[in-house]
Amino acid sequence: MLTIQDLHVFHGPIEAVHGISLEVEQGKCISLLGPNGAGKTSTISAITGIARSTGLVRFEGRDLSRDSVEARIAAGIAVSPEGRRIFSNLTVLENLTLGAALQKDAAEKAKDTDHWFSLFPILAERRDQSAGTLSGGEQQMLAIARALMARPKILLLDEPSLGLAPKIVRQIFDLIADLKTRGMTILLVEQNATQALKLADYAYLMSSGRIVAHGTADDLGKSDKLMAELTGVA
Amino acid sequence: MEYIVQQVLNALSFGAEYALLALGLAIVFSIMGLVNFAHGEIIAVGGYTMVAFASLAIGNPMIVMVGAVLAAMLASLTLERVAFRPVRKADPTTGLLTAFGVSIVLQNLFLLFVSPRPIAVTSLYFLDWSIEIAGIRLASLQVFETLTTIIVIIALMLFLRRTVLGLAVRAASLDFEMVRLTGIRANRVFAIAFLISGLLAGLACIFIMARRGSVDPHLGFEPVLKAFVACVVGGFGSLPGAVLGGFLLGAVEVAMLVMLPQSLGGMTDAFVFMIVAMILIWRPDGILSPAVEKGDKL
Ligand SMILES: Nc1ncnc2c1ncn2[C@@H]1O[C@H](COP(=O)(O)OP(=O)(O)OP(=O)(O)O)[C@@H](O)[C@H]1O
Ligand SMILES: [Mg+2]
């Protein structure tokens, strides 16, 4: 569904990712692991078109690498970005409404809002509250729900568990598992390798802008390389 | 009693003008981080449009007013396209210099191609007459200006709360990139902000022209300077702050006019700015700084 080939990502003159290739198949959950600064977020930014990149980004057979950010989102890519980036000056409901900005049918939009509110009762309770007043975990759920409001074909999740209490982390991973069983295609960026590998069908391990290992979750989970990269013990 | 009501209305109409212009500055600033110093020239475009109608012997006030507002909106949109879009990703200083440059270029165009001298426009005098409400004589122009501004503020509020594009404008003041990541085209958000800004300048232009009765290349300079101060007082980039700052500035100005003795009459602005300075010592980021509004912990 999403194919990346020889992707180089740049931040100004700095090259953060040095030619990686990966593949996300329809209905699968693919995990992108790696330590701080490995280039995971840069890769996500290149897929959405936020960061400048060279190489191939093909989505459903179409080359997106020349398309604008907006066009890529319209093609069916949605992202829950690193740091959540909810609109804290808007209410919870307004955040969701913006998530469905491309949905023209008001009835469908209302249906989706109700659906996600029923799945996240805590958000429903705070629908008219400023999103900035939510707790970290609630904000993360809002960020994911906002992305899902777009009814994406693929969901990019950048470190959804970052900085959250273990109980909340479990909730978030349960949610991702639930999305997966509903057939959602997911690219999951995580530092929490243990949890991510439980969910993922296939995983890539990044370090210093390169993919240093990849394989099924089982294979990679057993590999020494993973632990070495993530703990910094070679 | 009559005097008090008259002065209150005076303050409201001053404040209304500042609030309209301050909102126009603030909405652009909130999403671009750019103080649009060419805002005054947008007002002048409205004024010269009225001149153009007069020279074409079109006196229908409806046509003159709507035409001036549309011209201001078009001018604002054009500036966004040709001047500000290319520097959108540049650093704030570049944007600021661009705004100054555009302002100077437009003023010189007016000087060269129209006239450096004021040109009288009489088609809007009809807005100003003396009306009597409950035995109190009032200037109709001030009543219109206050009411129009209140209606516009309510309409703008509804737009910003009830429409997707309005939500996007508010969200863009916080995180423009994230707005793009919801699929909303950045160009549309910029265009709507400049359109609204132009609309507000056009409306203010009607009242400024009705009061002054003439247009010159510097028509918008002083009003926009005051609007800028209103923005600073209210908290730059905050829309409620712009409205609050505008009305506050109007009130302070009228209070000074009323309270200062005749001998200090020429010093009104000096006293007004002194009070502004005091407010800024108390709240350096303005009364409703956007950070407070967004719920950031200060
Ligand atoms: N906007 C930027 N400007 C300059 N350099 C950047 C920028 N964003 C990232 N980088 C650099 O690119 C490299 C990769 O960063 P990236 O954020 O992609 O890593 P990451 O794998 O997401 O790390 P983390 O787990 O900490 O989020 C780092 O060396 C970082 O310093
Ligand atoms: Mg990252």
Side-chain angles (χ1 to χ4, degrees), chain B residues 5-289:
Chain B
V5 175
Q6 277 170 352
Q7 291 308 329
V8 168
L9 183 63
N10 215 359
L12 283 174
S13 69
F14 271 51
E17 182 188 313
Y18 300 152
L20 282 180
L21 295 175
L23 265 177
L25 287 179
I27 201 161
V28 166
F29 182 85
S30 74
I31 63 167
M32 284 197 88
L34 171 95
V35 182
N36 182 8
F37 281 105
H39 204 53
E41 281 60 54
I42 302 288
I43 302 174
V45 166
Y48 285 115
T49 305
M50 295 176 186
V51 173
F53 278 122
S55 66
L56 292 170
I58 297 172
N60 180 327
M62 235 22 223
I63 297 180
V64 172
M65 291 193 293
V66 172
V69 171
L70 288 181
M73 291 170 80
L74 191 67
S76 185
L77 200 60
T78 309
L79 284 193
E80 194 274 318
R81 275 285 161 89
V82 302
F84 295 123
R85 191 173 290 186
V87 299
R88 202 185 276 170
K89 291 202 179 76
D91 62 308
T93 328
T94 312
L96 201 69
L97 291 176
T98 306
F100 266 125
V102 168
S103 167
I104 292 166
V105 166
L106 284 176
Q107 280 195 19
N108 281 297
L109 287 178
F110 298 143
L111 283 172
L112 274 173
F113 292 105
V114 194
S115 162
R117 281 189 304 277
I119 305 173
V121 174
T122 53
S123 47
L124 295 180
Y125 282 160
F126 79 98
L127 283 172
D128 201 6
W129 76 90
S130 186
I131 52 173
E132 207 171 296
I133 298 174
I136 298 173
R137 267 181 303 116
L138 299 169
S140 65
L141 183 62
Q142 297 191 329
V143 176
F144 289 147
E145 185 160 21
T146 307
L147 288 181
T148 306
T149 302
I150 291 171
I151 292 169
V152 166
I153 290 172
I154 292 173
L156 185 60
M157 220 166 74
L158 288 176
F159 169 76
L160 291 172
R161 291 185 179 279
R162 297 284 163 82
T163 68
V164 168
L165 204 50
L167 293 180
V169 169
R170 282 167 60 210
S173 73
L174 188 73
D175 190 343
F176 208 122
E177 200 171 88
M178 192 59 226
V179 172
R180 298 187 74 193
L181 285 171
T182 67
I184 296 170
R185 291 211 306 276
N187 287 346
R188 283 185 68 199
V189 179
F190 283 109
I192 195 75
F194 274 85
L195 263 183
I196 291 172
S197 178
L199 168 75
L200 297 170
L203 289 171
C205 171
I206 290 176
F207 295 109
I208 293 171
M209 289 299 290
R211 200 165 23 235
R212 297 195 11 171
S214 72
V215 51
D216 62 59
H218 308 290
L219 177 73
F221 178 75
E222 206 194 306
V224 169
L225 184 66
K226 290 284 174 60
F228 178 76
V229 173
C231 280
V232 172
V233 169
F236 227 118
S238 154
L239 303 187
V243 173
L244 178 74
F247 280 105
L248 195 66
L249 191 64
V252 169
E253 209 169 309
V254 170
M256 288 298 118
L257 282 170
V258 170
M259 292 187 324
L260 285 179
Q262 285 279 289
S263 56
L264 290 176
M267 306 261 293
T268 318
D269 275 352
F271 280 90
V272 170
F273 285 128
M274 209 167 73
I275 292 177
V276 165
M278 271 154 33
I279 295 176
L280 290 178
I281 291 171
W282 167 54
R283 294 296 291 256
D285 292 324
I287 299 171
L288 299 175
S289 87

Side-chain angles (χ1 to χ4, degrees), chain A residues 48 50 68-70 73-74 79 81 84-91 94 97-99 101-102 109 130 132 146, chain B residues 160-161 164 167-168 170-175 177-187 293-297:
Chain A
T48 56
I50 290 287
S68 66
V69 175
E70 294 90 336
I73 303 302
V79 57
R84 303 166 199 138
R85 295 169 71 171
I86 52 135
F87 302 118
S88 58
N89 57 337
L90 269 51
T91 67
E94 287 171 339
T97 307
L98 265 187
L102 299 183
K109 202 184 247 192
S130 146
R146 178 182 61 188
Chain B
L160 291 172
R161 291 185 179 279
V164 168
L167 293 180
R170 282 167 60 210
S173 73
L174 188 73
D175 190 343
E177 200 171 88
M178 192 59 226
V179 172
R180 298 187 74 193
L181 285 171
T182 67
I184 296 170
R185 291 211 306 276
N187 287 346
E293 213 176 291
K294 285 162 194 163
D296 291 359
K297 312 223 163 31

Side-chain angles (χ1 to χ4, degrees), chain A residues 22 29-44 80-84 140 144 155-166 168-174 176-177 186-200 202-207 220 226 229-231:
Chain A
L22 61 84
C29 176
I30 305 301
S31 189
L32 192 55
L33 309 170
N36 290 112
K40 308 181 295 292
T41 301
S42 303
T43 303
I44 297 282
S80 162
E82 176 168 52
R84 303 166 199 138
Q140 185 60 59
I144 296 176
L155 179 63
L156 312 179
L157 293 169
D158 196 346
E159 304 215 35
S161 74
L162 191 70
L164 300 178
I168 312 291
V169 172
R170 219 169 309 127
Q171 277 181 26
I172 299 276
F173 278 104
D174 284 349
I176 300 170
I186 298 169
L187 178 59
L188 173 65
V189 166
E190 263 298 337
Q191 285 198 49
N192 191 334
T194 342
Q195 291 277 8
L197 286 176
K198 272 190 213 154
L199 276 175
Y202 200 84
Y204 295 86
L205 177 62
M206 274 189 93
S207 177
L220 209 62
L226 179 71
E229 280 298 344
L230 291 179
T231 56

